[in-house]
Amino acid sequence: MNGSLSIELGWVQGARQCLSPHFNERPGLEVSLLVIHNISLPAGEFGQPYIDQLFQGCLAIDADASFAELKGVRVSAHFLIRRDGELVQYVSCDDRAWHAGVSEFAGRQNCNDFAIGIELEGTDSTPYTQAQYQCLIALSLVLMTEYPMISPDRIIGHCDIAPGRKTDPGESFDWVTYRSALQSPVAMF
């Protein structure tokens, strides 16, 4: 990812926009949580067009046998960071993307109402790339500036808001280095 990021009306300038129909208005709650996920379609394969298709509601179900279970699924995230560090945005940060599902954080249900969702192209057990961490750190910092209720202790994994149901971003995610870089952005990966 090249250049610095900025946000205008919920859209990150510098991200490739790939609009999803799977969103709605937030119920008047201020954005105060950042949720990190992972995704790969098919599982363990990278660089395919299927994540964009899934979030846009036009996934070619017959492209892979594993996609049958995704038929009719309506899901989205605000962002995807591909293995090469490309940043893709599907939903305005000011709107509610459908990424968290049944979830709870600090006693509040329905995290989609107040969270921004970032998908990393990857799996629980595949190490993420340096380019992904660099993009994630830059994006996290600009989101924390634009939405000041997001603090380092309000950046969590999908596994933290849906324990027993979700495991992402998985054991391969380097929380220590990521959180350290948020505190000291000069020392990024």
Side-chain angles (χ1 to χ4, degrees):
M1 187 192 76
N2 297 323
S4 62
L5 300 177
S6 63
I7 299 178
E8 292 180 23
L9 301 173
W11 292 96
V12 171
Q13 306 308 299
R16 175 172 63 87
Q17 291 185 7
C18 186
L19 305 182
S20 173
H22 303 154
F23 73 95
N24 55 2
E25 290 184 22
R26 292 189 188 274
L29 299 175
E30 194 168 348
V31 174
S32 61
L33 188 67
L34 188 60
V35 180
I36 299 174
H37 305 260
N38 72 34
I39 188 170
S40 59
L41 290 177
E45 292 186 27
F46 309 128
Q48 303 293 325
Y50 305 120
I51 298 169
D52 286 350
Q53 291 176 11
L54 176 67
F55 290 163
Q56 289 182 303
C58 61
L59 179 64
I61 297 298
D62 59 351
D64 188 271
S66 68
F67 294 172
E69 64 190 39
L70 298 173
K71 186 174 184 174
V73 169
R74 295 170 42 119
V75 65
S76 62
H78 292 91
F79 300 97
L80 167 68
I81 301 175
R82 293 210 170 260
R83 305 290 293 174
D84 64 1
E86 179 192 21
L87 179 62
V88 184
Q89 185 169 5
Y90 301 94
V91 174
S92 166
C93 294
D94 296 337
D95 288 321
R96 176 172 48 190
W98 304 340
H99 58 97
V102 176
S103 53
E104 178 182 343
F105 180 77
R108 291 174 66 188
Q109 304 284 322
N110 303 318
C111 294
N112 285 339
D113 292 350
F114 55 94
I116 290 174
I118 301 173
E119 296 275 2
L120 297 174
E121 186 177 33
T123 70
D124 287 4
S125 58
T126 305
Y128 298 98
T129 68
Q130 181 176 354
Q132 285 180 296
Y133 282 112
Q134 289 173 338
C135 182
L136 178 61
I137 291 162
L139 178 59
S140 300
L141 291 170
V142 77
L143 290 171
M144 291 167 69
T145 299
E146 185 73 15
Y147 303 95
M149 289 185 70
I150 298 174
S151 57
D153 63 327
R154 296 186 66 85
I155 300 175
I156 45 91
H158 198 187
C159 58
D160 299 313
I161 60 171
R165 187 174 71 82
K166 294 295 180 177
T167 58
D168 52 321
E171 68 274 6
S172 63
F173 188 77
D174 185 349
W175 282 104
V176 173
T177 305
Y178 167 67
R179 289 189 190 284
S180 175
L182 291 181
Q183 301 296 324
S184 227
V186 194
M188 290 198 273
F189 285 75

